[in-house]
Structure formats: structure tokens, C-alpha cells
Amino acid sequence: MNSFGSYIREKREGLVAEDKSKSLRQVAITIGVEPAFLSKVERDIVSPPSEGKIIALAEVLNEDPDLLLAMAGKVSSDLLAIVKARPQLIGELLRELKEQPDHAVLSVVRNITDGDW
Amino acid sequence: MINLKNDRMNVRFPEICNEYELNISFQRTLRIPDDGNDHFLPPSLGKFPLRHIEDFDLVDKEHLKKRGGLIMPMFQSDALWLSFNCRSKRSIDLPIAIKVATGKINAVSGLKWENGLDSEPQNYLVVPDQPWLDGFNVGRGTVRQFVAAPLGEGLTVEEQINANSDVGGIQFEFIPMKKEYFEKLKLEAQTEGSQEFHDMRMMSCSKMSIDEMGIGAGGSMRQEIYEDEHGIDAWDLDNTKRCFITLANAEQWLSITGEEPPMSPISSEEYTDAGLPWFDYFDEDKISIEGAEALSDIKSIKDIYKQKIKDLFGGGTSSQNQKVHDISPKKKGNISNGFW
């Protein structure tokens, strides 16, 4: 699996050919960091930025924020709050799901209902 | 399966392609002037919030829950466009045929809602070919903007086609490509490469009952709806998903959900005056379908009000100083996407 830095660099460079607003400088300005800092993040010279900046980066690069946070070794604060509210139950659930295939995990995600119309 | 995350509908068909997800969001946008001209595509001003309808007390509208789906707030005369964004990891994008209707009137064909697909006239669009839909298909290369309007005043498209209609909302049906067709497409893609689309219209930038909203027609803009290049037999009609989006008047959103509704957007004139961009998108490799005959005579909300109370809306001025970004896909061969 790619490192956090190389992953976002690959994604950003894939976008910049079509959209100049995805240049390193423009993306850095959009998420509110110095271009030099983002450059170091992309080269894995420094640690990934804060949760807020990673979520902003996910929005700019059209990536899943949970995926980027996980790659950065972080857990989003909303997920942490969910675990803290029911630590034993959620812990048990996650361990149970650990070995399950994706389709089984997806089956416990709340689906949008379809009714009579 | 369809689920909801970060105000996006996520549509997946894991039995066909486990790594693929289609994200659909409802983008708030400027109401373009209804002045007889065809305008460029307006930007995104952020997403409308989406919530599961069964999570709220709808008081005397509890019966709406039997339709299932989601609920979304819109102010009267708010405009929206639909963003279809594909997220795949290693494989190519799974094509999905999408039917879109407002008040159960198909926005592509103008005909009444029926489950399934039709090719004559084509009553669906295909993603990833079609990145957005901004309005009703009124002519080849021209749509009339989706604009919210209260039900019961004859302003919505459904009421123009059937005066007694009181359905409201926005309806979707998603039909994936058959697995065997998709496998063939993947093999072909390995020899040709494929284009990747990037969404560039995103700017980085006491209990009450609810008044139901529908969708009327606003100003006219340039947008192609592309012909299905796979053919109708490519679609897996035994494996479809549907979703009903109930539209609530945003003034009642706080009462229903306890959340503040989104602010009404700025005017198109203010936006243009600030030097911000409009967009143009044309894919020369694709053929666009004809406008829907059933929608060719629909009146815009402004025209209806003109008849009723002499131009209550006033409309906007034509934006001659618009800064336009051409975000059409480049010619094939210019961009290589490799195999991943």
C-alpha cells in the first residue's frame, strides 16, 4: 500500500493535467497550508497534517476522508466519539467484522430505503 | 445498495464490481437568468443536506415515509444540479444507466415514470459518460434548469403535464451494466486505455408540518445528454435500485430536523460581477440525444408567474461579462490513464 504522501501526490498529479487548480500551490492554498509544507507531506518528509486539513484535502482531491485519515494513521473525531460512546459493543462489532468479506460488511451499513411510489 | 454519507448518495453493485462506487450529490447553484438565452453551466455553491426520511417526525405528512428514501431542504426558487461522480480503485468505472424524474416525470424523456429502460426515446443517462445533469432535456444540447417550486400552484413540470399531480420530489432508478458486458468492457479498456473525468465545477469555496416542494423549469443552458453507446441490452434490469428524494421547504427544515437550512445562494449577477467562472463542457466523441418532445412546450416558472401576476420574479440580466472555463474532456489520445 502507498504511503499517505505518495498516495495524495499521485492523486493530485493525476488531476492537475486537466485542472490547474489542483497544482501543489493551489491545493495548499485551498486547504490552508504552506505549499512547502504540502510538498514535504507529499514526499513523506513530515507527518501527515491535522484531521481538519486531511478532510479538506479529501474534498479537494475527491477522495474518501476516512480512507485518507486511515492512511495517515488517524481516526476521525466522529468515529472516535462513536467508539467512546459504546466501547465494548463497538469493539466487539469491529473484531467480528475483521475477517468478513466486503459484501458482508456492506450489509450492515444503513441502506437508503425504497418504498411505495 | 444505496447508502448515505457526507450528504452524498453512494450507489454500489458489489456483485458486479466490488471496488466501484457512484457518488451522487445535489449541488446548490445560481439561478441562471431566464431571458431567452442559453447560458453556460453555473458552479457549485456546496451540497444540499440529505437525511433519511424515516428519522424525523413529519406530523401530518407521516404518510410520505412509505415512499422511503431521503429528505432534502430547498427554498422556493433554489436551483440545483446533480453531480454523478465515480469512485473506483483499480478497475475501470462500472457504467450505470440512471433514470431521473421530478414528480415522476422523466427529466430526459418527459414521459410519466415507469420502471425499466426505454431507448426510443432514450429515457436515461449513462455514467461515467454523463458527469452532471442541470435540468430538463428540452432540446438537443439544451436543458432548462431545475428550480424548486411549491406544489399546488401549477409551477412544477409535473403539474404542467398533469394538472392534478401532487407527487413532488426527485426520483432515481439505477441500472448497472450486466456483468458479462462489463467484463468485456474491461478487456477492451486494457488495450485502449480510458479517460478519467474530474469534477471541476466544485468551488473550493413547536413542530411544524412540511410543505412539499417539486421542481419547475428555470432558465435555459447548454448541456448535452449523451446517447447510450452500449445499447439497451447491456443493462441488468433484474438488478436495479431506486430512491425517492422528498423535498421539504427549507423554511421548515429547522423545525423538522433541528438543523439550520443552507443559506439561499447569491444572485447570478453578483457572482459574475465578482469575476467568478462559469463552465462549458462538450465531449466531441459522444453523440447527444434529441430534446424530449413532451418537454418542448413546458413553461418556465418565470413565464408562469408572468401570466399569473406579471413577472413576480423579475429574472436576471444576461451576464455578458461571464468568465467561462472550458472543461470539456480533451481529445482521446491526449490523456493516458494507464492500467490500474
Side-chain angles (χ1 to χ4, degrees):
Chain A
M1 193 176 188
N2 283 353
S3 67
F4 177 83
S6 59
Y7 183 82
I8 61 164
R9 183 176 192 173
E10 182 187 324
K11 292 294 171 186
R12 187 187 57 72
E13 288 182 342
L15 296 172
V16 76
E18 288 252 327
D19 182 3
K20 297 289 180 279
S21 75
K22 300 300 187 286
S23 70
L24 183 118
R25 182 178 170 74
Q26 288 297 319
V27 169
I29 291 169
T30 305
I31 68 167
V33 300
E34 290 292 327
F37 174 70
L38 183 59
S39 172
K40 285 179 181 174
V41 170
E42 287 192 348
R43 287 177 289 142
D44 296 306
I45 293 172
V46 297
S47 302
S50 65
E51 179 188 340
K53 300 297 181 197
I54 292 174
I55 291 170
L57 198 52
E59 182 72 21
V60 175
L61 301 181
N62 189 35
E63 288 293 309
D64 188 313
D66 286 336
L67 174 69
L68 292 194
L69 284 166
M71 291 184 81
K74 295 172 191 282
V75 178
S76 68
S77 46
D78 67 319
L79 290 183
L80 206 55
I82 292 167
V83 176
K84 278 181 176 172
R86 293 186 285 184
Q88 287 172 303
L89 192 60
I90 302 294
E92 198 178 321
L93 175 69
L94 293 177
R95 284 188 192 93
E96 191 66 32
L97 291 175
K98 185 181 163 193
E99 305 296 337
Q100 297 293 321
D102 286 357
H103 66 84
V105 177
L106 285 170
S107 69
V108 300
V109 176
R110 184 181 183 185
N111 285 314
I112 297 171
T113 54
D114 181 24
D116 181 19
W117 50 273
Chain B
M1 56 188 64
I2 313 177
N3 56 50
L4 177 64
K5 186 177 175 186
N6 298 331
D7 296 323
R8 287 188 180 117
M9 288 165 59
N10 301 321
V11 182
R12 292 189 185 103
F13 293 95
E15 62 283 2
I16 299 173
C17 181
N18 199 29
E19 296 172 322
Y20 176 78
E21 181 181 284
L22 171 66
N23 304 142
I24 296 155
S25 54
F26 297 77
Q27 301 290 329
R28 301 173 63 228
T29 192
L30 305 168
R31 211 175 132 209
I32 60 165
D34 182 10
D35 55 6
N37 296 318
D38 286 346
H39 293 270
F40 292 108
L41 300 172
S44 164
L45 300 175
K47 290 176 285 188
F48 281 99
L50 292 168
R51 301 289 178 265
H52 291 274
I53 193 168
E54 58 266 35
D55 289 354
F56 304 104
D57 179 3
L58 302 182
V59 196
D60 63 341
K61 295 287 176 66
E62 279 288 300
H63 62 278
L64 297 179
K65 289 182 181 174
K66 77 173 196 273
R67 306 190 297 203
L70 303 171
I71 188 165
M72 181 177 96
M74 291 187 85
F75 285 103
Q76 181 171 344
S77 83
D78 263 353
L80 70 76
W81 53 272
L82 306 172
S83 165
F84 306 111
N85 212 338
C86 304
R87 200 194 293 276
S88 58
K89 292 178 183 128
R90 290 191 177 78
S91 58
I92 67 159
D93 292 333
L94 170 68
I96 296 179
I98 305 177
K99 280 170 57 188
V100 181
T102 70
K104 294 180 74 172
I105 298 297
N106 191 301
V108 175
S109 70
L111 302 176
K112 286 182 186 168
W113 181 273
E114 283 180 15
N115 291 338
L117 297 177
D118 270 324
S119 57
E120 291 182 4
Q122 182 175 316
N123 65 352
Y124 58 97
L125 46 89
V126 178
V127 294
D129 297 347
Q130 189 83 36
W132 312 302
L133 184 68
D134 285 60
F136 298 96
N137 176 30
V138 295
R140 188 189 287 271
T142 307
V143 299
R144 273 200 176 268
Q145 192 174 31
F146 292 132
V147 176
L151 280 175
E153 296 181 20
L155 299 171
T156 62
V157 167
E158 64 176 285
E159 290 168 293
Q160 290 187 55
I161 289 175
N162 173 8
N164 298 319
S165 183
D166 61 354
V167 179
I170 304 173
Q171 298 78 37
F172 292 93
E173 185 175 11
F174 304 97
I175 304 101
M177 179 171 269
K178 288 174 183 165
K179 192 172 176 111
E180 60 269 28
Y181 278 78
F182 183 51
E183 294 301 327
K184 197 175 156 199
L185 202 64
K186 281 200 286 191
L187 281 175
E188 287 170 7
Q190 282 175 5
T191 52
E192 288 177 5
S194 67
Q195 282 196 329
E196 191 174 1
F197 168 73
H198 308 302
D199 208 334
M200 286 158 285
R201 285 172 72 187
M202 308 297 179
M203 299 295 288
S204 42
C205 28
S206 76
K207 283 273 182 198
M208 289 165 65
S209 176
I210 64 165
D211 290 338
E212 284 182 84
M213 306 282 281
I215 299 289
S220 183
M221 70 182 95
R222 303 168 200 179
Q223 184 169 62
E224 314 274 336
I225 296 175
Y226 298 115
E227 193 173 278
D228 173 13
E229 56 188 31
H230 305 290
I232 201 153
D233 292 336
W235 306 107
D236 187 353
L237 289 163
D238 296 327
N239 191 15
T240 73
K241 306 284 177 219
R242 305 190 318 165
C243 184
F244 195 111
I245 314 292
T246 296
L247 301 179
N249 189 321
E251 289 170 12
Q252 295 151 348
W253 190 246
L254 182 64
S255 164
I256 298 167
T257 64
E259 300 169 16
E260 291 288 344
M263 295 294 289
S264 205
I266 60 172
S267 72
S268 56
E269 295 85 353
E270 288 169 319
Y271 180 86
T272 300
D273 290 347
L276 295 166
W278 295 73
F279 299 89
D280 197 12
Y281 184 93
F282 175 70
D283 189 337
E284 63 183 19
D285 292 326
K286 294 191 167 51
I287 300 166
S288 61
I289 62 171
E290 297 277 358
E293 202 178 324
L295 295 171
S296 59
D297 292 330
I298 59 166
K299 293 188 174 73
S300 70
I301 291 172
K302 183 181 171 186
D303 286 341
I304 296 169
Y305 265 117
K306 257 185 179 173
Q307 285 176 357
K308 284 187 170 184
I309 51 173
K310 290 204 172 179
D311 203 1
L312 178 67
F313 276 52
T317 56
S318 187
S319 305
Q320 292 176 344
N321 299 322
Q322 286 175 353
K323 191 186 287 183
V324 178
H325 285 199
D326 185 348
I327 48 177
S328 308
K330 302 290 182 279
K331 282 181 184 174
K332 278 182 181 160
N334 286 358
I335 305 163
S336 166
N337 186 25
F339 308 122
W340 49 278

PDB file of all heavy atoms in Angstrom, chain A residues 55 58-59 63-66 78, chain B residues 3-10 24-25 47-51 87:
ATOM      1  N   ILE A  55      -9.230  16.182   5.927  1.00  0.00           N
ATOM      2  CA  ILE A  55     -10.612  16.166   5.417  1.00  0.00           C
ATOM      3  C   ILE A  55     -10.752  17.184   4.279  1.00  0.00           C
ATOM      4  O   ILE A  55     -11.379  16.903   3.251  1.00  0.00           O
ATOM      5  CB  ILE A  55     -11.612  16.424   6.566  1.00  0.00           C
ATOM      6  CG1 ILE A  55     -11.618  15.213   7.515  1.00  0.00           C
ATOM      7  CG2 ILE A  55     -13.017  16.691   6.027  1.00  0.00           C
ATOM      8  CD1 ILE A  55     -12.370  15.415   8.808  1.00  0.00           C
ATOM      9  N   ALA A  58      -9.153  15.733   1.250  1.00  0.00           N
ATOM     10  CA  ALA A  58     -10.026  14.716   0.644  1.00  0.00           C
ATOM     11  C   ALA A  58     -11.088  15.377  -0.221  1.00  0.00           C
ATOM     12  O   ALA A  58     -11.397  14.907  -1.324  1.00  0.00           O
ATOM     13  CB  ALA A  58     -10.680  13.864   1.739  1.00  0.00           C
ATOM     14  N   GLU A  59     -11.628  16.484   0.252  1.00  0.00           N
ATOM     15  CA  GLU A  59     -12.665  17.193  -0.513  1.00  0.00           C
ATOM     16  C   GLU A  59     -12.095  17.724  -1.821  1.00  0.00           C
ATOM     17  O   GLU A  59     -12.677  17.552  -2.888  1.00  0.00           O
ATOM     18  CB  GLU A  59     -13.213  18.344   0.351  1.00  0.00           C
ATOM     19  CG  GLU A  59     -14.327  19.138  -0.274  1.00  0.00           C
ATOM     20  CD  GLU A  59     -15.660  18.407  -0.348  1.00  0.00           C
ATOM     21  OE1 GLU A  59     -15.882  17.438   0.407  1.00  0.00           O
ATOM     22  OE2 GLU A  59     -16.479  18.809  -1.186  1.00  0.00           O
ATOM     23  N   GLU A  63     -11.482  12.478  -2.721  1.00  0.00           N
ATOM     24  CA  GLU A  63     -11.148  11.194  -2.109  1.00  0.00           C
ATOM     25  C   GLU A  63     -12.005  10.998  -0.861  1.00  0.00           C
ATOM     26  O   GLU A  63     -12.564  11.947  -0.313  1.00  0.00           O
ATOM     27  CB  GLU A  63      -9.662  11.176  -1.722  1.00  0.00           C
ATOM     28  CG  GLU A  63      -8.720  11.078  -2.899  1.00  0.00           C
ATOM     29  CD  GLU A  63      -8.819   9.734  -3.607  1.00  0.00           C
ATOM     30  OE1 GLU A  63      -8.748   8.690  -2.943  1.00  0.00           O
ATOM     31  OE2 GLU A  63      -8.983   9.734  -4.840  1.00  0.00           O
ATOM     32  N   ASP A  64     -12.092   9.756  -0.408  1.00  0.00           N
ATOM     33  CA  ASP A  64     -12.867   9.465   0.794  1.00  0.00           C
ATOM     34  C   ASP A  64     -12.071   9.917   2.025  1.00  0.00           C
ATOM     35  O   ASP A  64     -10.936   9.469   2.228  1.00  0.00           O
ATOM     36  CB  ASP A  64     -13.131   7.952   0.855  1.00  0.00           C
ATOM     37  CG  ASP A  64     -14.098   7.598   1.962  1.00  0.00           C
ATOM     38  OD1 ASP A  64     -13.942   8.083   3.098  1.00  0.00           O
ATOM     39  OD2 ASP A  64     -15.015   6.825   1.687  1.00  0.00           O
ATOM     40  N   PRO A  65     -12.628  10.809   2.865  1.00  0.00           N
ATOM     41  CA  PRO A  65     -11.866  11.286   4.024  1.00  0.00           C
ATOM     42  C   PRO A  65     -11.475  10.159   4.984  1.00  0.00           C
ATOM     43  O   PRO A  65     -10.380  10.190   5.543  1.00  0.00           O
ATOM     44  CB  PRO A  65     -12.817  12.285   4.704  1.00  0.00           C
ATOM     45  CG  PRO A  65     -14.138  12.131   4.051  1.00  0.00           C
ATOM     46  CD  PRO A  65     -13.933  11.483   2.727  1.00  0.00           C
ATOM     47  N   ASP A  66     -12.341   9.166   5.140  1.00  0.00           N
ATOM     48  CA  ASP A  66     -11.997   8.046   6.035  1.00  0.00           C
ATOM     49  C   ASP A  66     -10.773   7.279   5.521  1.00  0.00           C
ATOM     50  O   ASP A  66      -9.942   6.826   6.305  1.00  0.00           O
ATOM     51  CB  ASP A  66     -13.185   7.090   6.185  1.00  0.00           C
ATOM     52  CG  ASP A  66     -14.275   7.679   7.066  1.00  0.00           C
ATOM     53  OD1 ASP A  66     -13.954   8.562   7.894  1.00  0.00           O
ATOM     54  OD2 ASP A  66     -15.439   7.282   6.921  1.00  0.00           O
ATOM     55  N   ASP A  78     -15.382  11.971  14.762  1.00  0.00           N
ATOM     56  CA  ASP A  78     -16.746  11.436  14.882  1.00  0.00           C
ATOM     57  C   ASP A  78     -16.714   9.924  15.118  1.00  0.00           C
ATOM     58  O   ASP A  78     -17.510   9.386  15.887  1.00  0.00           O
ATOM     59  CB  ASP A  78     -17.608  11.824  13.674  1.00  0.00           C
ATOM     60  CG  ASP A  78     -17.155  11.161  12.388  1.00  0.00           C
ATOM     61  OD1 ASP A  78     -15.934  11.076  12.168  1.00  0.00           O
ATOM     62  OD2 ASP A  78     -18.013  10.716  11.610  1.00  0.00           O
TER      63      ASP A  78
ATOM     64  N   ASN B   3     -26.389   3.885   0.021  1.00  0.00           N
ATOM     65  CA  ASN B   3     -26.353   4.451   1.361  1.00  0.00           C
ATOM     66  C   ASN B   3     -25.975   5.925   1.295  1.00  0.00           C
ATOM     67  O   ASN B   3     -25.732   6.481   0.221  1.00  0.00           O
ATOM     68  CB  ASN B   3     -25.459   3.630   2.302  1.00  0.00           C
ATOM     69  CG  ASN B   3     -24.060   3.480   1.788  1.00  0.00           C
ATOM     70  OD1 ASN B   3     -23.435   4.469   1.418  1.00  0.00           O
ATOM     71  ND2 ASN B   3     -23.568   2.260   1.753  1.00  0.00           N
ATOM     72  N   LEU B   4     -25.952   6.522   2.477  1.00  0.00           N
ATOM     73  CA  LEU B   4     -25.784   7.964   2.584  1.00  0.00           C
ATOM     74  C   LEU B   4     -24.552   8.268   3.412  1.00  0.00           C
ATOM     75  O   LEU B   4     -24.391   7.718   4.507  1.00  0.00           O
ATOM     76  CB  LEU B   4     -27.035   8.539   3.270  1.00  0.00           C
ATOM     77  CG  LEU B   4     -27.061  10.035   3.556  1.00  0.00           C
ATOM     78  CD1 LEU B   4     -27.038  10.830   2.262  1.00  0.00           C
ATOM     79  CD2 LEU B   4     -28.321  10.383   4.352  1.00  0.00           C
ATOM     80  N   LYS B   5     -23.689   9.116   2.879  1.00  0.00           N
ATOM     81  CA  LYS B   5     -22.508   9.514   3.640  1.00  0.00           C
ATOM     82  C   LYS B   5     -22.108  10.920   3.203  1.00  0.00           C
ATOM     83  O   LYS B   5     -21.984  11.181   2.005  1.00  0.00           O
ATOM     84  CB  LYS B   5     -21.356   8.532   3.371  1.00  0.00           C
ATOM     85  CG  LYS B   5     -20.138   8.780   4.220  1.00  0.00           C
ATOM     86  CD  LYS B   5     -19.084   7.718   3.936  1.00  0.00           C
ATOM     87  CE  LYS B   5     -17.821   8.014   4.690  1.00  0.00           C
ATOM     88  NZ  LYS B   5     -16.738   7.088   4.322  1.00  0.00           N
ATOM     89  N   ASN B   6     -21.888  11.794   4.168  1.00  0.00           N
ATOM     90  CA  ASN B   6     -21.458  13.166   3.870  1.00  0.00           C
ATOM     91  C   ASN B   6     -22.344  13.844   2.824  1.00  0.00           C
ATOM     92  O   ASN B   6     -21.843  14.482   1.889  1.00  0.00           O
ATOM     93  CB  ASN B   6     -19.999  13.181   3.377  1.00  0.00           C
ATOM     94  CG  ASN B   6     -19.035  12.659   4.407  1.00  0.00           C
ATOM     95  OD1 ASN B   6     -19.284  12.766   5.607  1.00  0.00           O
ATOM     96  ND2 ASN B   6     -17.949  12.062   3.955  1.00  0.00           N
ATOM     97  N   ASP B   7     -23.650  13.694   2.973  1.00  0.00           N
ATOM     98  CA  ASP B   7     -24.619  14.315   2.057  1.00  0.00           C
ATOM     99  C   ASP B   7     -24.448  13.836   0.614  1.00  0.00           C
ATOM    100  O   ASP B   7     -24.760  14.556  -0.332  1.00  0.00           O
ATOM    101  CB  ASP B   7     -24.522  15.854   2.105  1.00  0.00           C
ATOM    102  CG  ASP B   7     -24.896  16.393   3.470  1.00  0.00           C
ATOM    103  OD1 ASP B   7     -25.811  15.826   4.097  1.00  0.00           O
ATOM    104  OD2 ASP B   7     -24.259  17.358   3.928  1.00  0.00           O
ATOM    105  N   ARG B   8     -23.945  12.628   0.455  1.00  0.00           N
ATOM    106  CA  ARG B   8     -23.862  12.020  -0.870  1.00  0.00           C
ATOM    107  C   ARG B   8     -24.580  10.682  -0.845  1.00  0.00           C
ATOM    108  O   ARG B   8     -24.466   9.938   0.130  1.00  0.00           O
ATOM    109  CB  ARG B   8     -22.409  11.714  -1.265  1.00  0.00           C
ATOM    110  CG  ARG B   8     -21.576  12.906  -1.609  1.00  0.00           C
ATOM    111  CD  ARG B   8     -20.237  12.409  -2.156  1.00  0.00           C
ATOM    112  NE  ARG B   8     -19.388  13.519  -2.506  1.00  0.00           N
ATOM    113  CZ  ARG B   8     -18.220  13.793  -1.925  1.00  0.00           C
ATOM    114  NH1 ARG B   8     -17.754  13.020  -0.971  1.00  0.00           N
ATOM    115  NH2 ARG B   8     -17.513  14.825  -2.311  1.00  0.00           N
ATOM    116  N   MET B   9     -25.286  10.383  -1.918  1.00  0.00           N
ATOM    117  CA  MET B   9     -25.823   9.031  -2.083  1.00  0.00           C
ATOM    118  C   MET B   9     -24.726   8.186  -2.717  1.00  0.00           C
ATOM    119  O   MET B   9     -24.170   8.573  -3.752  1.00  0.00           O
ATOM    120  CB  MET B   9     -27.023   9.043  -3.044  1.00  0.00           C
ATOM    121  CG  MET B   9     -28.271   9.665  -2.485  1.00  0.00           C
ATOM    122  SD  MET B   9     -29.454  10.022  -3.818  1.00  0.00           S
ATOM    123  CE  MET B   9     -29.709   8.412  -4.517  1.00  0.00           C
ATOM    124  N   ASN B  10     -24.430   7.062  -2.104  1.00  0.00           N
ATOM    125  CA  ASN B  10     -23.404   6.176  -2.643  1.00  0.00           C
ATOM    126  C   ASN B  10     -24.076   4.917  -3.181  1.00  0.00           C
ATOM    127  O   ASN B  10     -24.724   4.201  -2.430  1.00  0.00           O
ATOM    128  CB  ASN B  10     -22.400   5.787  -1.562  1.00  0.00           C
ATOM    129  CG  ASN B  10     -21.710   7.005  -0.973  1.00  0.00           C
ATOM    130  OD1 ASN B  10     -21.381   7.939  -1.707  1.00  0.00           O
ATOM    131  ND2 ASN B  10     -21.517   7.015   0.324  1.00  0.00           N
ATOM    132  N   ILE B  24     -23.559  10.439  -5.738  1.00  0.00           N
ATOM    133  CA  ILE B  24     -24.485  11.430  -6.296  1.00  0.00           C
ATOM    134  C   ILE B  24     -24.729  12.504  -5.258  1.00  0.00           C
ATOM    135  O   ILE B  24     -25.101  12.201  -4.118  1.00  0.00           O
ATOM    136  CB  ILE B  24     -25.816  10.782  -6.685  1.00  0.00           C
ATOM    137  CG1 ILE B  24     -25.548   9.779  -7.792  1.00  0.00           C
ATOM    138  CG2 ILE B  24     -26.822  11.823  -7.174  1.00  0.00           C
ATOM    139  CD1 ILE B  24     -26.557   8.718  -7.849  1.00  0.00           C
ATOM    140  N   SER B  25     -24.498  13.738  -5.643  1.00  0.00           N
ATOM    141  CA  SER B  25     -24.776  14.835  -4.720  1.00  0.00           C
ATOM    142  C   SER B  25     -25.640  15.872  -5.417  1.00  0.00           C
ATOM    143  O   SER B  25     -25.681  15.952  -6.649  1.00  0.00           O
ATOM    144  CB  SER B  25     -23.479  15.449  -4.196  1.00  0.00           C
ATOM    145  OG  SER B  25     -22.656  15.822  -5.266  1.00  0.00           O
ATOM    146  N   LYS B  47     -23.072  21.480  -1.257  1.00  0.00           N
ATOM    147  CA  LYS B  47     -24.079  20.420  -1.378  1.00  0.00           C
ATOM    148  C   LYS B  47     -25.314  20.730  -0.536  1.00  0.00           C
ATOM    149  O   LYS B  47     -25.192  21.283   0.550  1.00  0.00           O
ATOM    150  CB  LYS B  47     -23.504  19.087  -0.897  1.00  0.00           C
ATOM    151  CG  LYS B  47     -22.454  18.498  -1.808  1.00  0.00           C
ATOM    152  CD  LYS B  47     -21.868  17.232  -1.220  1.00  0.00           C
ATOM    153  CE  LYS B  47     -20.924  17.550  -0.093  1.00  0.00           C
ATOM    154  NZ  LYS B  47     -20.163  16.412   0.411  1.00  0.00           N
ATOM    155  N   PHE B  48     -26.472  20.317  -1.022  1.00  0.00           N
ATOM    156  CA  PHE B  48     -27.666  20.336  -0.179  1.00  0.00           C
ATOM    157  C   PHE B  48     -27.540  19.208   0.842  1.00  0.00           C
ATOM    158  O   PHE B  48     -27.051  18.114   0.513  1.00  0.00           O
ATOM    159  CB  PHE B  48     -28.921  20.081  -1.019  1.00  0.00           C
ATOM    160  CG  PHE B  48     -29.409  21.267  -1.788  1.00  0.00           C
ATOM    161  CD1 PHE B  48     -29.104  21.417  -3.134  1.00  0.00           C
ATOM    162  CD2 PHE B  48     -30.186  22.235  -1.176  1.00  0.00           C
ATOM    163  CE1 PHE B  48     -29.559  22.511  -3.855  1.00  0.00           C
ATOM    164  CE2 PHE B  48     -30.652  23.337  -1.886  1.00  0.00           C
ATOM    165  CZ  PHE B  48     -30.333  23.473  -3.224  1.00  0.00           C
ATOM    166  N   PRO B  49     -28.024  19.433   2.078  1.00  0.00           N
ATOM    167  CA  PRO B  49     -28.001  18.333   3.044  1.00  0.00           C
ATOM    168  C   PRO B  49     -29.033  17.255   2.695  1.00  0.00           C
ATOM    169  O   PRO B  49     -30.089  17.564   2.138  1.00  0.00           O
ATOM    170  CB  PRO B  49     -28.353  19.010   4.374  1.00  0.00           C
ATOM    171  CG  PRO B  49     -28.952  20.317   4.036  1.00  0.00           C
ATOM    172  CD  PRO B  49     -28.528  20.684   2.645  1.00  0.00           C
ATOM    173  N   LEU B  50     -28.697  16.022   3.001  1.00  0.00           N
ATOM    174  CA  LEU B  50     -29.594  14.884   2.770  1.00  0.00           C
ATOM    175  C   LEU B  50     -29.739  14.104   4.075  1.00  0.00           C
ATOM    176  O   LEU B  50     -28.742  13.882   4.771  1.00  0.00           O
ATOM    177  CB  LEU B  50     -29.008  13.940   1.716  1.00  0.00           C
ATOM    178  CG  LEU B  50     -28.916  14.434   0.277  1.00  0.00           C
ATOM    179  CD1 LEU B  50     -28.049  13.487  -0.551  1.00  0.00           C
ATOM    180  CD2 LEU B  50     -30.305  14.532  -0.336  1.00  0.00           C
ATOM    181  N   ARG B  51     -30.954  13.689   4.402  1.00  0.00           N
ATOM    182  CA  ARG B  51     -31.191  12.897   5.614  1.00  0.00           C
ATOM    183  C   ARG B  51     -32.154  11.760   5.293  1.00  0.00           C
ATOM    184  O   ARG B  51     -32.993  11.882   4.397  1.00  0.00           O
ATOM    185  CB  ARG B  51     -31.801  13.774   6.721  1.00  0.00           C
ATOM    186  CG  ARG B  51     -30.943  14.978   7.131  1.00  0.00           C
ATOM    187  CD  ARG B  51     -29.696  14.569   7.904  1.00  0.00           C
ATOM    188  NE  ARG B  51     -28.886  15.723   8.230  1.00  0.00           N
ATOM    189  CZ  ARG B  51     -27.853  16.176   7.516  1.00  0.00           C
ATOM    190  NH1 ARG B  51     -27.498  15.544   6.402  1.00  0.00           N
ATOM    191  NH2 ARG B  51     -27.174  17.236   7.893  1.00  0.00           N
ATOM    192  N   ARG B  87     -16.189   6.691  -8.289  1.00  0.00           N
ATOM    193  CA  ARG B  87     -15.019   6.432  -7.460  1.00  0.00           C
ATOM    194  C   ARG B  87     -14.675   4.944  -7.600  1.00  0.00           C
ATOM    195  O   ARG B  87     -15.378   4.085  -7.086  1.00  0.00           O
ATOM    196  CB  ARG B  87     -15.351   6.735  -5.999  1.00  0.00           C
ATOM    197  CG  ARG B  87     -14.155   6.977  -5.123  1.00  0.00           C
ATOM    198  CD  ARG B  87     -14.568   6.925  -3.676  1.00  0.00           C
ATOM    199  NE  ARG B  87     -15.449   7.995  -3.263  1.00  0.00           N
ATOM    200  CZ  ARG B  87     -15.043   9.201  -2.881  1.00  0.00           C
ATOM    201  NH1 ARG B  87     -13.783   9.507  -2.889  1.00  0.00           N
ATOM    202  NH2 ARG B  87     -15.919  10.094  -2.481  1.00  0.00           N
TER     203      ARG B  87
END
